[in-house]
Amino acid sequence: MNTDKTGENIEATGNPDDVGVSSSSASRRNIRKLLAGTGRNIDEFGGFDIEITPDRTKEDIFNNRPGEQLREKILNLPELPGVYMYLDRSGKVIYVGKAKRLKRRVSSYFNRYHEVTRTNLLVRNIVDMRFIVVPTEEDALHLENAMIKEYQPRYNVLLKDDKSYPWIVVTKELYPRVFMTREKGIHGRYYGPYANQAAAKVVLQLIREVYPLRSCRHTLEEKGIARNRYSLCLDYHIHKCLGPCRGLVSPEDYGKYITRVRQILNGETVELENVLKDEMSRLSEEWKFEEAQVVKEKYEAVRKYNAKSVIGEASESSADMFAYVENEDRAFVNFMHLNRGAVTQSLNLEYRRQKTDITREEILSMAVAEIGERFDREFKEVIVPFMPDVEFEGVRFVVPSRGDKKKVLDVGIKNATQYMHDVEKQAEKLNPERGVEKLMAQMKSDFRLETEPRHIECFDNSNIQGTNPVASCVVFRNGKPARRDYRHFNIKTVVGANDFASMKEVLHRRYTRMMAEGEPLPQLVVVDGGKGQLSAAVEAFDEMGIRGIVALVGIAKRLEEIYFPGDSLPLYIDKKSQSLRVIQALRDEAHRFGITHHRNRRSKSQTVSELDSIKGIGDATSATLMKEFRSLKRVKEAALEDLAAVIGKAKATSVYNHFHSPDN
């Protein structure tokens, strides 16, 4: 496997392992050769013989102390770069790590309690160890990467690499073809890979719009062409192909198009745009307007493509970028290689962290090593969001804070974030309950709860200058609205616009009744408002004796601040957090539900009050009129005869005279 001068192309010679991925069998042989050099044997299952007698006591295991023999091994470790492997009782590799100083690194696992539970479990399962000394820490990183792939240790961060990304290949034929493929044994030059299949299709579409290349699968040979073995297809007749199958274009002229295609695939589209622009101007000056129009169409296609795909400075010949994002249990790295500002390679890597104490700097180093090995690339300058924990020989890492390099990094972070969301959505689609469990665990952590908030209720007050005060209660179960459980309340004991007293009344009525009827209380109650509303809710909870049983928070509208009882400082949750989105959805739903009820009640009260003001017209007559005429406006416009037919002549006369008197 080799690369050309720009480093973005990989030459294939027919062996699938030569394209994009290191051979696993070769990697396995290299590892076994290295281990054989240490004088240790590997059994047929990839395990090791235990060299020491397990002598750790229960107290040793509880306190993460090594046994006597294992301690002796650790004391004899050199202060040199290398890779270490921890073995369990059966001799299986359960962890592989790298170190700049083996003795110091291995010693750090023992005789102390780790914050991450999984690391404590690892230490308690260590029975024996192996190590390999290498010249540099970078060599240790590459060896660690290969050994993790070989042994898939239980406690390591694992690269999830089961996806085959598409490439664009230019075949080596008399008349080369250009197409997208996932196969890795085609004789030709590969470009990519493309993490996004749609991006590869856009590139191919540009090529086919600009150049009349053949799309057929024929293996064109000079003898076959001379004997007219092939037929012209539709592409020729619609001017999408020049007819190489009949020898209507020479291999040399066809090759000129292939050279231009390589420019596009190498990312040299800005130069191509300038060439086409100059050619268009030259043809126009020579009054060859039809030919100039054809070139103009190609120029517009390339210019449109550049507007979407060129994200860096076109003056820079080459750039490499790694972006990093993470969630609770996984890390995602987006790699992009740019040539003259255009993305020519893009790949997403996903690492399963398994709640270990590995740092993001270590994962970034692993990603740089993985891409370097996979594409046989030698990096010079690499744009990163933070410095990796390994110094790579001859590589300069740049953490940009502004300018074009920062723009490139921002695009990479956006790609990595989108990939993370796609993975999460796919996981939730395959296992919907997993998404609920994850959300509940996050909300429990964010809101400092003792139990998961499977049942949440939110309250909001509505009134206009103290008139028709109402309150709403909306219910979410497992993070989703449970509309059948929604309730609205007409405020009964509070006079005027007193939101605090109204909140106390509603909470009393809601939860006193639930406790009386034996219904389970929610795990979390949210009140729409800041400290004042929350204080009123706390008083109500104290009076009912449920404070501490049901968690209570308030949400302020202005800055989405979360207030807790007894805490004067609000909590600001990440704006992108799923926990905050659920609380915002609760608050908005409570507001909508409350406003709708308040509007209906206000409209009804206005209608009834005007009919009730008519002498001799009571509630029953008002209801009869509204049922028949549907609105107060229609009652006003009704003829006397129509009113009499519904409520009788005497009452109809009173209603008719009321609405048609000069005073009204």
Side-chain angles (χ1 to χ4, degrees):
M1 184 170 65
N2 53 63
T3 60
D4 67 1
K5 293 179 180 179
T6 59
E8 65 275 355
N9 310 322
I10 299 177
E11 186 77 28
T13 56
N15 184 350
D17 290 330
D18 286 342
V19 184
V21 192
S22 300
S23 169
S24 60
S25 59
S27 174
R28 189 175 297 113
R29 286 195 300 272
N30 290 337
I31 294 171
R32 291 179 181 275
K33 185 177 179 181
L34 276 167
L35 293 173
T38 67
R40 274 72 178 249
N41 296 322
I42 309 172
D43 65 26
E44 59 182 320
F45 302 107
F48 296 83
D49 294 330
I50 300 298
E51 297 178 340
I52 62 178
T53 303
D55 58 355
R56 297 175 73 185
T57 65
K58 288 184 178 180
E59 187 177 354
D60 288 337
I61 293 173
F62 181 79
N63 292 296
N64 288 343
R65 292 198 300 254
E68 290 295 330
Q69 297 179 59
L70 184 56
R71 182 183 293 109
E72 189 66 27
K73 272 195 169 186
I74 295 171
L75 291 174
N76 290 325
L77 285 171
E79 291 282 2
L80 295 171
V83 172
Y84 56 92
M85 293 167 287
Y86 291 141
L87 315 177
D88 65 6
R89 187 176 294 274
S90 64
K92 184 177 180 181
V93 178
I94 58 175
Y95 187 79
V96 176
K98 69 176 187 331
K100 195 171 185 177
R101 297 180 179 88
L102 278 167
K103 185 176 181 179
R104 182 177 302 182
R105 179 63 177 142
V106 173
S107 299
S108 69
Y109 283 89
F110 298 94
N111 299 313
R112 70 185 184 93
Y113 189 80
H114 300 272
E115 292 183 3
V116 180
T117 303
R118 193 174 180 86
T119 306
N120 293 310
L121 293 174
L122 163 65
V123 176
R124 291 170 187 177
N125 280 286
I126 298 172
V127 173
D128 200 355
M129 63 162 291
R130 298 287 187 276
F131 70 90
I132 302 171
V133 175
V134 294
T136 66
E137 189 182 9
E138 182 181 348
D139 294 329
L141 175 65
H142 291 299
L143 180 57
E144 177 199 35
N145 192 31
M147 296 183 75
I148 289 174
K149 290 179 182 178
E150 168 70 11
Y151 295 111
Q152 296 286 301
R154 178 181 177 183
Y155 292 97
N156 270 100
V157 170
L158 300 177
L159 173 62
K160 189 174 183 291
D161 189 27
D162 56 359
K163 182 183 286 188
S164 173
Y165 289 102
W167 299 70
I168 293 178
V169 63
V170 179
T171 61
K172 284 196 171 182
E173 298 178 85
L174 181 64
Y175 293 98
R177 292 173 294 146
V178 182
F179 57 90
M180 183 170 62
T181 182
R182 295 179 189 269
E183 297 180 30
K184 296 172 182 176
I186 300 169
H187 191 55
R189 187 176 291 275
Y190 283 76
Y191 297 82
Y194 292 85
N196 186 348
Q197 183 174 337
K201 289 182 177 180
V202 168
V203 176
L204 283 176
Q205 182 180 0
L206 170 66
I207 290 171
R208 285 169 182 159
E209 284 181 11
V210 176
Y211 299 113
L213 303 181
R214 71 186 185 100
S215 60
C216 62
R217 297 185 178 183
H218 297 309
T219 303
L220 300 184
E221 298 176 347
E222 291 182 354
K223 291 182 180 179
I225 294 172
R227 295 174 182 174
N228 293 329
R229 286 178 54 186
Y230 313 107
S231 301
L232 293 171
C233 64
L234 178 63
D235 279 356
Y236 172 78
H237 296 290
I238 62 174
H239 308 294
K240 293 289 185 181
C241 178
L242 296 176
C245 57
R246 286 295 184 92
L248 300 179
V249 58
S250 68
E252 292 75 21
D253 290 340
Y254 191 92
K256 293 178 182 177
Y257 293 126
I258 294 298
T259 300
R260 293 286 180 85
V261 167
R262 293 186 187 279
Q263 278 186 286
I264 293 175
L265 296 174
N266 281 334
E268 300 173 13
T269 50
V270 175
E271 289 85 348
L272 179 60
E273 180 183 335
N274 294 331
V275 169
L276 291 173
K277 185 177 181 180
D278 293 341
E279 186 176 352
M280 179 177 62
S281 300
R282 180 184 60 81
L283 291 171
S284 297
E285 291 173 358
E286 296 176 0
W287 290 25
K288 298 178 180 179
F289 299 118
E290 292 183 2
E291 296 177 31
Q293 179 61 31
V294 173
V295 176
K296 181 182 178 181
E297 292 173 2
K298 296 177 181 180
Y299 166 76
E300 291 293 341
V302 175
R303 190 172 65 85
K304 183 179 178 182
Y305 173 78
N306 283 340
K308 294 181 178 180
S309 66
V310 176
I311 62 174
E313 181 59 49
S315 61
E316 292 193 17
S317 60
S318 181
D320 294 291
M321 183 281 308
F322 288 84
Y324 178 95
V325 296
E326 62 183 21
N327 56 21
E328 291 80 2
D329 57 354
R330 302 192 180 213
F332 301 86
V333 179
N334 172 252
F335 163 72
M336 287 196 304
H337 175 73
L338 290 82
N339 189 28
R340 292 175 172 82
V343 178
T344 59
Q345 277 187 333
S346 178
L347 191 67
N348 292 310
L349 300 176
E350 175 186 350
Y351 289 90
R352 291 173 285 186
R353 300 167 63 194
Q354 302 176 330
K355 296 182 180 179
T356 62
D357 57 356
I358 189 168
T359 64
R360 60 178 189 167
E361 289 80 8
E362 291 178 272
I363 294 177
L364 182 60
S365 296
M366 294 170 66
V368 174
E370 172 66 22
I371 294 296
E373 291 178 8
R374 183 176 296 200
F375 301 132
D376 196 20
R377 181 181 298 288
E378 292 184 4
F379 299 111
K380 293 182 180 178
E381 182 176 285
V382 180
I383 302 169
V384 290
F386 47 83
M387 297 299 290
D389 74 325
V390 173
E391 294 182 4
F392 290 79
E393 185 179 356
V395 181
R396 177 174 172 264
F397 290 98
V398 178
V399 182
S401 58
R402 59 182 181 274
D404 288 322
K405 291 179 180 178
K406 181 64 167 61
K407 291 178 183 178
V408 172
L409 180 60
D410 289 342
V411 172
I413 291 174
K414 185 177 180 180
N415 286 337
T417 302
Q418 183 60 50
Y419 181 60
M420 177 176 68
H421 291 163
D422 291 344
V423 170
E424 290 173 344
K425 288 178 183 177
Q426 185 64 26
E428 289 180 14
K429 190 180 294 185
L430 296 174
N431 183 8
E433 189 59 29
R434 179 181 179 273
V436 174
E437 296 291 341
K438 183 178 177 182
L439 173 61
M440 291 298 105
Q442 184 178 353
M443 293 192 72
K444 178 183 176 183
S445 174
D446 287 345
F447 294 105
R448 312 168 187 171
L449 306 177
E450 294 182 0
T451 58
E452 293 181 347
R454 297 279 178 169
H455 176 186
I456 312 175
E457 296 190 353
C458 181
F459 293 83
D460 182 35
N461 294 328
S462 295
N463 67 77
I464 296 179
Q465 296 180 345
T467 63
N468 305 112
V470 299
S472 62
C473 169
V474 300
V475 181
F476 272 33
R477 298 186 186 276
N478 292 329
K480 300 292 183 182
R483 291 186 172 84
R484 290 186 178 181
D485 297 330
Y486 286 13
R487 296 290 183 271
H488 55 245
F489 301 86
N490 296 328
I491 304 302
K492 298 179 178 179
T493 63
V494 180
V495 178
N498 190 334
D499 283 346
F500 302 156
S502 298
M503 183 62 70
K504 281 189 66 176
E505 177 190 324
V506 171
L507 291 173
H508 265 288
R509 289 167 59 185
R510 172 67 171 169
Y511 296 119
T512 300
R513 179 171 181 173
M514 288 183 72
M515 288 187 288
E517 295 178 354
E519 292 186 36
L521 297 174
Q523 289 85 33
L524 176 63
V525 171
V526 180
V527 294
D528 183 15
K531 296 179 183 178
Q533 294 278 25
L534 183 61
S535 297
V538 169
E539 290 180 18
F541 273 39
D542 283 336
E543 292 168 6
M544 291 183 287
I546 61 174
R547 185 176 177 185
I549 298 174
V550 178
L552 181 64
V553 299
I555 178 172
K557 293 182 176 67
R558 190 170 66 88
L559 296 174
E560 309 293 20
E561 304 143 316
I562 306 296
Y563 286 93
F564 292 84
D567 192 346
S568 59
L569 296 177
L571 171 70
Y572 295 95
I573 298 178
D574 183 359
K575 299 295 184 185
K576 298 179 181 179
S577 168
Q578 194 67 19
S579 297
L580 182 59
R581 289 176 185 171
V582 171
I583 298 301
Q584 288 171 330
L586 265 165
R587 189 265 315 280
D588 295 343
E589 185 72 349
H591 187 65
R592 180 200 64 79
F593 188 60
I595 287 294
T596 301
H597 175 58
H598 183 265
R599 185 182 297 117
N600 293 338
R601 185 165 181 253
R602 188 172 71 247
S603 175
K604 181 179 178 182
S605 66
Q606 289 171 347
T607 299
V608 172
S609 63
E610 188 161 0
L611 289 174
D612 286 349
S613 66
I614 304 173
K615 187 176 181 179
I617 303 299
D619 291 342
T621 304
S622 297
T624 302
L625 286 169
M626 293 305 298
K627 184 177 180 180
E628 177 67 25
F629 293 100
R630 300 294 182 181
S631 70
L632 185 62
K633 181 182 178 183
R634 290 183 178 179
V635 173
K636 292 178 179 180
E637 295 174 349
L640 179 60
E641 294 79 7
D642 295 333
L643 292 171
V646 176
I647 58 175
K649 186 174 182 180
K651 291 182 178 179
T653 301
S654 298
V655 172
Y656 185 84
N657 290 339
H658 174 79
F659 288 122
H660 293 83
S661 67
D663 296 335
N664 291 329

